[in-house]
Amino acid sequence: MPNLQIIIFKGTQKIRNVQIEDYIKAGKIAAEVREKVRAKNWVGKTVYEICEEVEGEIKKRGAKCAFPVNTSINEVAAHYTAEPNDPITIKDDDLVKIDLGAQINGYIADTAVTVCYDAQFDVLVQAAEEALGNAMSMAKSGVKVSDIGRTIEKTIKQLGFKPIANLSGHSLDQYTIHAGKTIPNIWSIGGYSLSNSTAYACEPFVTTKDAGGFVRNGKIKNIFAINSRKRIKDPEADRLLDFIWENFNMLPFALRWITKEWEEKKARGLLEILIKKKAVQAYPILIEVNEQRVAQAEHTFIPNENGVTITTITL
Ligand code: MN
Ligand code: MN
């Protein structure tokens, strides 16, 4: 999942060895599942089937989902997950970003792959992968994130495409997907340097030359997260709030994940109340402003003295 513009600074903590182990375990699982996703032909499958299957693969390997699997199609760049029994079906000319997260004790691996079955879009997917590869090969502690952004932008432009300027990677923390620092996908003034033993996600988004190169919020919101644990004094809504905290902590969740406990209509109503009271926030889907297709690639990495550990790489 990418970060959109406004960020809340929470400060990143130094990672201890036990935490590194959990980051690595989560990364291995996320990478395995991502490669399975990449190899499969999803044409004819519904987004509901994709989300449930991919989330099942993560759980089967002993991790929890760090967020609902995102299946963002074509001009939708990010933040779409399946509704309960969502009937949207993958067509043979669709470009689908499948973004998945695994967590162990709250330590997250965030990774994404773009699948497409129409050869004309392969170059767009390749551009995202190449930009990510170039960014990863320069990542180590002390490197300025503005230089990473420059490399990503340069790689994408040289291939004849545009980066999405207002989507970025992000630092990670325990039970926190967007922990306050960003990894830009374009060159920008200032910024900070990568720090030793902080986990980050890098995620270039690539679109066509005719695109605006920005995303806007869409109307659909089907990913949510807790904002505040303060009781709202509605017993049923408070019970849902407790359930969310106990099961997902501060991490994003989907309606699909609560309709196992609450009937769908009831769950929607209670969620609406929690959103209105600002106990829960809803993430809108993010759409390319000129409705052009978008491809994405993503890895999670931890810089160290000698270079970098890419937790979601496959050897
Ligand atoms: Mn992601
Ligand atoms: Mn991410």
Side-chain angles (χ1 to χ4, degrees):
M1 285 180 67
N3 188 57
L4 181 71
Q5 294 157 325
I6 310 151
I7 48 162
I8 303 153
F9 186 72
K10 281 184 180 149
T12 39
Q13 42 175 241
K14 286 280 178 189
I15 302 167
R16 294 198 305 268
N17 279 341
V18 282
Q19 299 165 339
I20 294 244
E21 279 171 26
D22 286 345
Y23 271 119
I24 286 173
K25 267 188 220 163
K28 188 171 183 285
I29 291 169
E32 259 178 48
V33 175
R34 184 199 60 230
E35 290 314 304
K36 227 177 147 166
V37 165
R38 192 197 305 274
K40 185 157 173 164
N41 188 335
W42 298 97
V43 174
K45 296 270 186 200
T46 67
V47 288
Y48 178 75
E49 289 169 325
I50 299 174
C51 289
E52 291 286 311
E53 185 174 327
V54 177
E55 287 165 9
E57 293 288 340
I58 292 168
K59 290 184 233 168
K60 204 163 87 182
R61 288 168 172 78
K64 286 186 179 170
C65 294
F67 50 83
V69 166
N70 289 202
T71 50
S72 307
I73 304 174
N74 299 334
E75 72 277 9
V76 179
H79 292 177
Y80 186 94
T81 194
E83 292 288 339
N85 302 308
D86 198 321
I88 294 172
T89 303
I90 305 306
K91 297 191 297 293
D92 56 15
D93 64 344
D94 281 340
L95 192 70
V96 192
K97 279 78 61 192
I98 300 182
D99 191 333
L100 59 104
Q103 58 107 337
I104 303 275
N105 298 319
Y107 298 104
I108 302 164
D110 183 3
T111 188
V113 60
T114 301
V115 292
C116 83
Y117 311 93
D118 186 329
Q120 65 173 309
F121 305 119
D122 286 351
V123 278
L124 206 62
V125 177
Q126 278 312 312
E129 292 284 348
E130 209 169 311
L132 178 61
N134 289 346
M136 287 300 91
S137 52
M138 67 186 286
K140 62 179 179 187
S141 77
V143 168
K144 289 199 316 212
V145 293
S146 57
D147 287 334
I148 293 182
R150 191 205 325 260
T151 295
I152 291 172
E153 179 174 14
K154 202 174 143 198
T155 305
I156 292 169
K157 286 186 171 166
Q158 274 174 350
L159 293 166
F161 300 113
K162 258 188 191 173
I164 302 274
N166 63 339
L167 286 179
S168 64
H170 47 94
S171 57
L172 296 153
D173 216 332
Q174 190 181 26
Y175 293 110
T176 308
I177 184 88
H178 296 150
K181 303 252 178 178
T182 62
I183 308 272
N185 289 324
I186 53 163
W187 182 80
S188 51
I189 291 172
Y192 63 100
S193 298
L194 293 179
S195 118
N196 230 1
S197 306
T198 297
Y200 303 89
C202 179
E203 47 186 315
F205 286 82
V206 180
T207 187
T208 66
K209 263 205 319 264
D210 310 323
F214 288 89
V215 291
R216 60 169 173 84
N217 289 342
K219 286 204 184 81
I220 298 170
K221 296 176 181 178
N222 50 29
I223 298 178
F224 311 92
I226 277 197
N227 245 346
S228 153
R229 283 193 66 206
K230 216 174 124 194
R231 312 226 139 232
I232 65 156
K233 297 189 177 102
D234 173 320
E236 272 194 284
D238 280 333
R239 196 164 75 78
L240 176 58
L241 195 60
D242 285 341
F243 176 85
I244 294 166
W245 173 255
E246 279 158 25
N247 288 278
F248 320 128
N249 199 294
M250 300 292 286
L251 292 170
F253 63 92
L255 187 63
R256 290 181 286 112
W257 291 3
I258 55 180
T259 50
K260 280 144 197 163
E261 299 287 324
W262 279 267
E263 184 264 320
E264 186 179 331
K265 214 175 150 195
K266 186 79 205 167
R268 273 188 205 278
L270 292 174
L271 204 49
E272 208 49 58
I273 294 170
L274 291 174
I275 292 166
K276 213 167 271 173
K277 295 280 184 185
K278 297 194 162 52
V280 165
Q281 59 167 317
Y283 293 84
I285 60 166
L286 302 170
I287 306 170
E288 205 291 314
V289 290
N290 286 358
E291 311 213 331
Q292 293 292 304
R293 285 168 202 260
V294 179
Q296 174 203 16
E298 180 176 23
H299 272 312
T300 296
F301 68 97
I302 302 171
N304 59 47
E305 261 99 41
N306 310 311
V308 71
T309 304
I310 302 170
T311 66
T312 51
I313 210 162
T314 40
L315 299 169

